[in-house]
Amino acid sequence: MASKVTPISGFQEWLPTERIAELIVLDTIREVFELHGFASINTRAMEPVDRLTGQGEDADKEIYGVRRLAAGPDDTGDVSLGLHFDMTVPFARYVLENAGKLTFPFRRYQIQPAWRGERPQRGRYREFIQADVDIIDEGRLPDHFEGELLLVVADVFSRLPIGDYQIHVNDRKICEGFYLGLGIEDVTGTLRIVDKLDKIGADGVQKLLLDAGCTPKQTDQCLALAEIRSEDTGFVEQVRALGVQHELLDEGLAKLAAVIEVANEHAPGVVVADLRIARGLDYYTGTVYETMLTRDPGYGSICSGGRYDALATDGKRTFPGVGISIGVSRLLGKLITEEGLTASRETPVAVLVAVTDEDSRPESMRVATALRSRGIPTLVAPKATKFGKQIQFADRRGIPFVWFPGEDGDEVKDIRSGDQVPADRATWDPPAGDLRPSLVVPDVSSSGRKPNDRK
Amino acid sequence: MASKVTPISGFQEWLPTERIAELIVLDTIREVFELHGFASINTRAMEPVDRLTGQGEDADKEIYGVRRLAAGPDDTGDVSLGLHFDMTVPFARYVLENAGKLTFPFRRYQIQPAWRGERPQRGRYREFIQADVDIIDEGRLPDHFEGELLLVVADVFSRLPIGDYQIHVNDRKICEGFYLGLGIEDVTGTLRIVDKLDKIGADGVQKLLLDAGCTPKQTDQCLALAEIRSEDTGFVEQVRALGVQHELLDEGLAKLAAVIEVANEHAPGVVVADLRIARGLDYYTGTVYETMLTRDPGYGSICSGGRYDALATDGKRTFPGVGISIGVSRLLGKLITEEGLTASRETPVAVLVAVTDEDSRPESMRVATALRSRGIPTLVAPKATKFGKQIQFADRRGIPFVWFPGEDGDEVKDIRSGDQVPADRATWDPPAGDLRPSLVVPDVSSSGRKPNDRK
């Protein structure tokens, strides 16, 4: 064996118990995505480098280039490849490549790792899992999908113990229409400055806007817009009160109001219209989303996205879409690493079959085969040690039941209560809650996290 | 968008329907691995290059090196990293890194992509998924695990429509003991030559053995051993009949006989003792496995592995293990790409809720929420077109049911039979077979594959 064994900064690996917690979270996300009618796709880990860098943000992305070591330093025969840094670029490419074989509107989910070479920090990794849903159409995309995606996310989070959170929603058209109505011409530049509000504060934004040529009146109005928030459609009246008129503003307000109404009917209490949300990426053109944990908004968004009118185009056809991405690794960095979310055991095993002596191992294996055939994860004890030791073996792994094969009939022991009862290998089932490992949510008081009253 | 959109040779991507077939296969593998008591781990995609190349076979492996593009050509600050080419090297590293936190014997499964830069060919990809199970212990590993792993693989394949197959099993100790008993000193070199039997034939092997210094008598005996096969323990007598004596040979014969007996009790008809199986890798020390599809043995092994006594060691502690790897991408290259295995629909959706007009979309969304809350994958029609068009939308995607919300009660149509009946959104369930997409096995006659008589 070569170099010494050390973790690599920015590359998270879980121990078995934490990995089970991660799997439960991933399974839940996938289940909800499928319930909402999204089909899975998986794209290769690599894209041509020029496709990855064609996204305008390459400086941030810190792409990992990939190259066959055997190719040698002077071999330029292969296309230059890099690891994808998100699911959006590969998905856009996949849609273009397979457009003739897909049915639109195409709803897909994609749960895969991505890689960015940036400096690792809290909630930011060099290898991380994202769980994306997008709805993409050919030509025109109906507006109602922008509200529908919120329901998917709210449904996912209602099934996970993530604590209180809010999805902050805005519509780019509101900002654009408002700025245009104010007579500001550089809409994108203004958006970019206002987007820094959380980082540099109102004074900082004011200064940048004035520097960019806005009048004091325009500057005040931009800041006033960014301060508007409401959990219902009250934001419409607040914006109207600022007295700015523009067709695009009207359109944006109506769209956002529709999104908030749908959300409040199907997922009350989790969405807030927040007119400061802009999202850095240029390609968003309608609704934009960001999601914060109430107990720690500074941790950053755990789920973001928006509508884009032309993410993928081959010159002839254009594919508008709306998508949202759950930052699974970031979320678990908070829940598992910082707060101690874990699983009820370190193995899927529900039953350990004891082995009386090595000669009777075949009989213990027959018990295991019978239990497995009925869907019960089962392990045969690795050694025919004393029963006390075999029970200890189960206990150490969190396995709740130990099975004792007997000539006069089998018995099963719940090692938590100590109860041991006769049992038939052909019919016995563990209580439903013990069949699979489950999430163990850390004690509220010790971690400082707020109780999750949405369960 | 940058470069034109083209597939990259050796990187397989599926369309949604094929992807659903792949997911069903992956879910089945995972389910069986968990039923047999294996815990999931996931390792990072990258390892230090010197760890990857320290495996003795680097020339074959065609490692992909990874490097931050932003690092520039002269920046050597980072450890040199490469993408893993299997699950074994990262697993060995993981065990060493976490030995103090794992409980032994440690049973883990790992289902992840791996990458090799070799020339793509039939059944060989540059990016491919492997599904591995290993049992690793500290110090000494009991022999009985070598039979147990066969049951895991047989259980997986009994639930998948892969057609007839056989797992070929040997024990390295048989060959080693036999060669030593014959007076051959270079055991490893002899193994390597005999391993070429399938490629170069008996004449070729005979020549190489003679060239390597074997006597004609030794050569004949080596070839005679390699020709022995039996589906039961009959191989023991056939080996004995060759008249070679050695303690290691006795041990190997007893071990392999035990493995075959266990397999024949729990998974009759799928295992064959095949004394020509050697496996190229140096690190195997006991049982070795290879798995061939009966209808196309030349396609190569779809599931291989063996016992290793010292895969992972940190100098002080040694971790022996036994493992087996299902080549998922290779298997699906046969089943999906060559033979047309597919899924019953291109989406998880079981029910499309029709939309009468855009004003009643909220009511259709309420139906969808009610069905989803009971675990039924549901989609609301994207546009309020004529019902005939909405039914066509479902039909084109393989969605079996269309739901019509009505003021006097809802109705649901099975679009395959045309039957339309009143239905209650709070209680109606699709038939169990329609809830999720299922595998569709291609017609025997059109693909030339043999009927799968094992379900």
Side-chain angles (χ1 to χ4, degrees):
Chain A
M1 276 288 160
S3 58
K4 68 178 192 290
V5 173
T6 46
I8 304 178
S9 175
F11 292 80
Q12 173 75 64
E13 286 180 346
W14 302 117
L15 288 167
T17 314
E18 300 162 330
R19 168 64 178 163
I20 286 177
E22 179 181 60
L23 272 180
I24 294 172
V25 170
L26 290 169
D27 287 347
T28 303
I29 293 171
R30 171 180 163 193
E31 186 192 347
V32 174
F33 286 176
E34 294 188 349
L35 282 175
H36 285 261
F38 293 84
S40 171
I41 73 161
N42 224 48
T43 55
R44 62 184 188 233
M46 304 174 199
E47 299 292 333
V49 166
D50 61 353
R51 180 161 292 277
L52 293 170
T53 56
Q55 302 304 311
E57 273 208 314
D58 35 328
D60 297 344
K61 298 292 168 44
E62 287 277 8
I63 295 162
Y64 279 109
V66 170
R67 180 186 182 79
R68 289 164 54 230
L69 293 183
D74 299 324
D75 184 342
T76 53
D78 281 349
V79 180
S80 183
L81 296 174
L83 297 175
H84 59 226
F85 53 77
D86 70 5
M87 305 297 122
T88 308
V89 175
F91 176 55
R93 189 264 311 154
Y94 178 93
V95 167
L96 291 178
E97 192 173 317
N98 297 295
K101 297 167 192 156
L102 301 175
T103 48
F104 294 95
F106 177 48
R107 302 162 73 97
R108 83 86 174 78
Y109 75 87
Q110 198 168 345
I111 303 175
Q112 287 187 238
W115 297 268
R116 297 186 189 194
E118 64 187 353
R119 194 171 59 79
Q121 45 185 306
R122 190 166 172 250
R124 286 181 182 271
Y125 307 93
R126 292 187 150 191
E127 179 177 68
F128 51 94
I129 298 172
Q130 288 198 329
D132 283 28
V133 280
D134 284 79
I135 306 172
I136 200 159
D137 212 338
E138 201 175 349
R140 233 193 84 70
L141 182 84
D143 291 344
H144 60 77
F145 289 132
E146 288 163 80
E148 231 187 87
L149 276 198
L150 282 177
L151 310 190
V152 182
V153 170
D155 201 350
V156 167
F157 289 152
S158 74
R159 296 165 193 241
L160 294 174
I162 72 161
D164 287 335
Y165 70 98
Q166 267 190 319
I167 311 178
H168 299 250
V169 190
N170 192 6
D171 194 300
R172 280 258 182 125
K173 289 190 201 296
I174 293 177
C175 303
E176 290 180 26
F178 191 86
Y179 300 158
L180 291 170
L182 280 175
I184 295 172
E185 279 172 23
D186 182 6
V187 168
T188 311
T190 307
L191 264 178
R192 285 222 183 98
I193 293 172
V194 176
D195 196 36
K196 296 182 185 178
L197 201 51
D198 283 337
K199 278 187 199 155
I200 63 176
D203 291 349
V205 169
Q206 189 174 36
K207 189 168 178 304
L208 288 180
L209 287 175
L210 292 171
D211 290 352
C214 289
T215 65
K217 163 90 179 157
Q218 288 172 332
T219 302
D220 288 350
Q221 289 277 61
C222 289
L223 284 168
L225 183 76
E227 268 160 28
I228 293 173
R229 285 191 193 199
S230 70
E231 295 191 4
D232 54 23
T233 55
F235 70 92
V236 178
E237 214 166 306
Q238 297 178 57
V239 175
R240 292 292 181 213
L242 296 177
V244 177
Q245 302 290 337
H246 196 277
E247 198 183 319
L248 206 56
L249 175 61
D250 296 342
E251 196 189 325
L253 288 171
K255 275 188 63 197
L256 185 57
V259 165
I260 297 291
E261 271 171 5
V262 167
N264 281 344
E265 180 184 343
H266 293 267
V270 301
V271 168
V272 57
D274 181 346
L275 302 201
R276 85 169 58 188
I277 301 296
R279 304 291 307 148
L281 292 169
D282 286 346
Y283 53 70
Y284 291 123
T285 52
T287 308
V288 285
Y289 319 93
E290 280 188 6
T291 309
M292 308 295 174
L293 294 171
T294 308
R295 63 187 175 285
D296 189 1
Y299 188 67
S301 177
I302 53 165
C303 177
S304 312
R307 177 184 179 129
Y308 37 85
D309 278 334
L311 187 72
T313 176
D314 60 5
K316 275 176 289 184
R317 291 162 302 176
T318 297
F319 300 93
V322 55
I324 202 159
S325 173
I326 300 175
V328 179
S329 294
R330 175 176 292 185
L331 181 61
L332 296 182
K334 181 74 185 168
L335 299 182
I336 295 180
T337 310
E338 295 193 3
E339 299 183 332
L341 179 73
T342 185
S344 56
R345 49 190 198 244
E346 67 175 44
T347 163
V349 175
V351 180
L352 177 79
V353 183
V355 177
T356 311
D357 49 51
E358 283 302 330
D359 289 344
S360 71
R361 177 172 295 279
E363 184 58 16
S364 295
M365 289 181 69
R366 272 172 223 129
V367 173
T369 298
L371 294 176
R372 286 173 190 143
S373 75
R374 294 187 296 106
I376 304 168
T378 305
L379 184 65
V380 176
K383 283 180 195 161
T385 50
K386 285 181 186 163
F387 282 159
K389 279 214 151 189
Q390 296 188 46
I391 292 169
Q392 200 178 51
F393 176 96
D395 191 34
R396 198 169 292 157
R397 287 159 180 78
I399 299 170
F401 295 97
V402 177
W403 191 282
F404 300 97
E407 288 182 16
D408 307 327
D410 301 347
E411 297 197 348
V412 66
K413 185 193 212 58
D414 181 332
I415 65 169
R416 296 158 303 185
S417 65
D419 293 348
Q420 186 166 332
V421 295
D424 183 342
R425 63 184 75 167
T427 56
W428 178 88
D429 272 307
D434 288 331
L435 184 61
R436 303 277 169 186
S438 53
L439 290 180
V440 176
V441 182
D443 184 17
V444 177
S445 55
S446 66
S447 69
R449 76 201 293 266
K450 295 195 181 163
N452 179 355
D453 53 8
R454 258 188 311 285
K455 149 98 200 292
Chain B
M1 275 288 162
S3 59
K4 67 178 195 289
V5 173
T6 46
I8 303 179
S9 174
F11 291 79
Q12 174 75 64
E13 286 180 347
W14 302 118
L15 288 167
T17 313
E18 299 162 332
R19 168 64 179 165
I20 286 177
E22 179 181 60
L23 271 180
I24 294 172
V25 170
L26 289 170
D27 287 346
T28 303
I29 293 171
R30 172 181 162 189
E31 185 191 347
V32 174
F33 286 177
E34 294 189 349
L35 282 175
H36 285 260
F38 293 85
S40 170
I41 72 161
N42 224 48
T43 56
R44 61 184 188 232
M46 305 174 197
E47 299 291 333
V49 166
D50 61 353
R51 179 162 294 276
L52 293 169
T53 55
Q55 303 302 311
E57 273 209 315
D58 36 326
D60 296 346
K61 298 290 167 47
E62 288 276 7
I63 295 162
Y64 279 109
V66 171
R67 180 185 183 81
R68 288 165 55 230
L69 293 182
D74 299 323
D75 183 344
T76 53
D78 282 349
V79 180
S80 182
L81 297 174
L83 296 175
H84 59 226
F85 51 76
D86 70 4
M87 303 298 122
T88 307
V89 175
F91 176 54
R93 188 264 311 155
Y94 178 93
V95 166
L96 292 178
E97 192 173 316
N98 297 294
K101 297 167 191 157
L102 301 173
T103 46
F104 293 95
F106 177 48
R107 300 161 76 95
R108 84 84 175 81
Y109 74 87
Q110 197 167 347
I111 304 175
Q112 288 186 237
W115 297 268
R116 297 186 189 195
E118 63 186 355
R119 195 169 59 78
Q121 45 186 305
R122 192 167 170 249
R124 286 180 182 269
Y125 307 93
R126 291 187 150 189
E127 178 177 70
F128 51 95
I129 298 172
Q130 288 197 329
D132 283 29
V133 280
D134 283 80
I135 305 172
I136 199 159
D137 212 339
E138 199 175 351
R140 233 193 85 69
L141 182 84
D143 291 345
H144 60 78
F145 290 131
E146 288 162 82
E148 231 185 88
L149 276 198
L150 283 176
L151 310 191
V152 182
V153 170
D155 200 350
V156 168
F157 289 152
S158 75
R159 296 165 193 241
L160 294 174
I162 72 162
D164 287 336
Y165 70 96
Q166 267 190 319
I167 310 176
H168 300 251
V169 190
N170 192 5
D171 194 300
R172 280 256 181 126
K173 289 190 200 298
I174 293 176
C175 303
E176 291 180 26
F178 191 86
Y179 300 157
L180 291 171
L182 279 174
I184 297 173
E185 278 172 24
D186 182 8
V187 168
T188 310
T190 308
L191 263 178
R192 286 221 183 97
I193 293 171
V194 176
D195 195 37
K196 298 182 186 181
L197 201 51
D198 282 337
K199 279 187 200 155
I200 62 176
D203 290 349
V205 167
Q206 187 173 40
K207 187 168 180 305
L208 286 181
L209 286 175
L210 291 170
D211 290 351
C214 288
T215 66
K217 163 90 177 156
Q218 288 171 332
T219 301
D220 288 348
Q221 288 275 62
C222 287
L223 282 168
L225 182 76
E227 270 161 26
I228 293 173
R229 285 190 193 199
S230 70
E231 295 190 4
D232 54 22
T233 54
F235 71 91
V236 177
E237 212 165 307
Q238 296 178 58
V239 175
R240 292 290 180 217
L242 298 178
V244 177
Q245 302 291 336
H246 196 275
E247 197 182 320
L248 206 56
L249 176 61
D250 295 342
E251 195 189 327
L253 289 171
K255 275 187 64 195
L256 185 57
V259 165
I260 298 290
E261 272 172 4
V262 167
N264 280 344
E265 181 186 341
H266 293 267
V270 300
V271 169
V272 56
D274 182 346
L275 303 200
R276 83 167 62 187
I277 300 295
R279 305 289 306 147
L281 293 169
D282 286 347
Y283 53 69
Y284 291 122
T285 52
T287 308
V288 285
Y289 319 94
E290 279 187 8
T291 309
M292 308 296 176
L293 294 171
T294 308
R295 64 186 174 284
D296 189 1
Y299 188 67
S301 176
I302 53 164
C303 176
S304 312
R307 177 183 179 131
Y308 39 85
D309 279 334
L311 187 71
T313 175
D314 61 5
K316 276 176 289 184
R317 292 162 302 177
T318 296
F319 300 93
V322 56
I324 201 157
S325 175
I326 300 175
V328 178
S329 294
R330 175 175 292 184
L331 180 61
L332 296 183
K334 182 74 185 168
L335 299 183
I336 294 180
T337 310
E338 296 193 3
E339 298 182 333
L341 179 71
T342 185
S344 56
R345 50 189 196 245
E346 67 176 45
T347 163
V349 176
V351 180
L352 177 78
V353 183
V355 176
T356 311
D357 49 50
E358 282 303 329
D359 288 344
S360 70
R361 178 172 295 279
E363 184 59 17
S364 295
M365 288 181 70
R366 274 172 221 127
V367 174
T369 298
L371 295 176
R372 286 173 189 144
S373 74
R374 294 189 295 106
I376 304 167
T378 305
L379 184 63
V380 176
K383 283 179 194 159
T385 50
K386 286 182 185 162
F387 283 160
K389 278 214 149 187
Q390 295 189 47
I391 292 169
Q392 201 179 50
F393 176 97
D395 191 35
R396 198 169 292 157
R397 287 158 179 79
I399 299 170
F401 295 97
V402 177
W403 191 283
F404 300 97
E407 287 182 15
D408 307 326
D410 301 348
E411 297 198 347
V412 66
K413 184 192 211 57
D414 182 332
I415 65 171
R416 297 157 303 187
S417 65
D419 293 345
Q420 186 167 332
V421 295
D424 183 342
R425 64 185 76 170
T427 57
W428 178 87
D429 273 308
D434 287 331
L435 184 61
R436 304 275 169 189
S438 54
L439 290 178
V440 176
V441 183
D443 184 19
V444 177
S445 54
S446 66
S447 71
R449 75 203 292 265
K450 296 194 181 165
N452 179 355
D453 54 6
R454 250 191 314 287
K455 141 122 196 268

